[in-house]
């Protein structure tokens, strides 16, 4: 009897969690990252304070094609941004400055949801960079 109940609970947990997980990532991103990284395509590039998320993810995916690796990279970078670790934007760092560490603002666990959501949703279909990516050196 106990086992059956446990299985039911597990089933519910497993069935529901992917949804919650995805939503969490979007909500967390809005709360903790969107102030700097906009999620819609910018009309006016000159007012940006950081690269929009589709550009970021385009570059992240060029270096880290597996989701697991990309999520790991993002979680690490956000807590400890380093020029040498940045994937593909020497000119972006020059323009925006290095991203300030978000340590204390976001936890490792939250970052995993955020990064997973970013990977699944960006760049959105049909997105083409504005040509800034070409001069990047992909490691
Ligand atoms: C205060 C503004 C600010 C906030 C808040 C911020 N970022 Fe950034 N982020 C930047 C800037 C500026 C850059 C570009 C320079 C760089 O790459 O370090 C950047 C770059 C990045 C990059 C690309 C790293 C690379 O390889 O160059 C990732 C990934 C990233 N941010 C993720 C996040 C996530 C996830 C959050 C929310 C938890 C976040 N950022 C919050 C300013 C911000």
């Amino acid at each position: 009897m106990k086992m059956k109940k446990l299985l039911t609970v597990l089933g519910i947990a497993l069935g529901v969690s992917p949804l919650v997980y995805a939503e969490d990532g979007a909500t967390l991103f809005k709360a903790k990252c969107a102030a700097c990284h906009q999620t819609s395509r910018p009309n006016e590039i000159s007012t940006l304070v950081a690269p929009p998320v589709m550009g970021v993810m385009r570059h992240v995916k060029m270096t880290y094609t597996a989701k697991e690796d990309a999520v790991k990279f993002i979680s690490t970078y956000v807590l400890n941004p380093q020029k040498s670790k940045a994937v593909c934007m020497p000119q972006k760092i020059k323009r925006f400055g290095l991203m300030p560490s978000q340590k204390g603002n976001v936890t490792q666990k939250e970052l995993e949801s955020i990064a997973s959501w970013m990977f699944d949703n960006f760049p959105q279909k049909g997105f083409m960079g504005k040509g800034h990516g070409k001069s990047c050196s992909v490691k």
Side-chain angles (χ1 to χ4, degrees), residues 55-63 87-89 92 133 136:
V56 168
M57 286 318 292
R58 190 161 145 262
H59 292 293
V60 168
K61 284 179 177 178
M62 281 177 182
T63 304
V87 283
C88 198
M89 345 178 126
K92 296 224 160 93
C136 279

Side-chain angles (χ1 to χ4, degrees), residues 1-136:
M1 271 314 171
K2 249 188 168 167
M3 191 65 191
K4 198 170 170 193
K5 196 171 172 195
L6 188 72
L7 282 176
T8 310
V9 171
L10 243 174
I12 292 172
L14 287 176
V16 169
S17 61
L19 242 176
V20 172
Y21 192 68
E23 224 171 54
D24 260 352
T27 313
L28 286 166
F29 185 90
K30 218 179 238 167
K32 297 175 187 279
C33 320
C36 293
H37 295 285
Q38 82 179 60
T39 53
S40 56
R41 212 187 150 137
N43 291 322
E44 186 45 58
I45 298 226
S46 64
T47 54
L48 294 180
V49 295
V53 64
M54 56 286 249
V56 168
M57 286 318 292
R58 190 161 145 262
H59 292 293
V60 168
K61 284 179 177 178
M62 281 177 182
T63 304
Y64 300 99
T65 42
K67 179 168 176 178
E68 199 190 327
D69 298 337
V71 167
K72 209 157 124 200
F73 164 74
I74 295 169
S75 327
T76 313
Y77 191 86
V78 169
L79 296 178
N80 189 17
Q82 279 173 34
K83 218 170 169 176
S84 60
K85 287 197 194 143
V87 283
C88 198
M89 345 178 126
Q91 75 278 51
K92 296 224 160 93
I93 291 182
K94 217 169 173 184
R95 162 151 181 224
F96 298 114
L98 194 65
M99 170 165 153
S101 168
Q102 299 300 301
K103 218 176 260 175
N105 180 29
V106 64
T107 65
Q108 179 75 34
K109 223 176 155 186
E110 287 171 333
L111 273 172
E112 277 160 25
S113 308
I114 293 173
S116 168
W117 173 80
M118 286 165 78
F119 191 93
D120 289 345
N121 292 282
F122 297 96
Q124 53 276 71
K125 257 196 161 150
F127 170 74
M128 298 275 283
K130 288 200 169 170
H132 298 297
K134 284 195 187 119
S135 56
C136 279

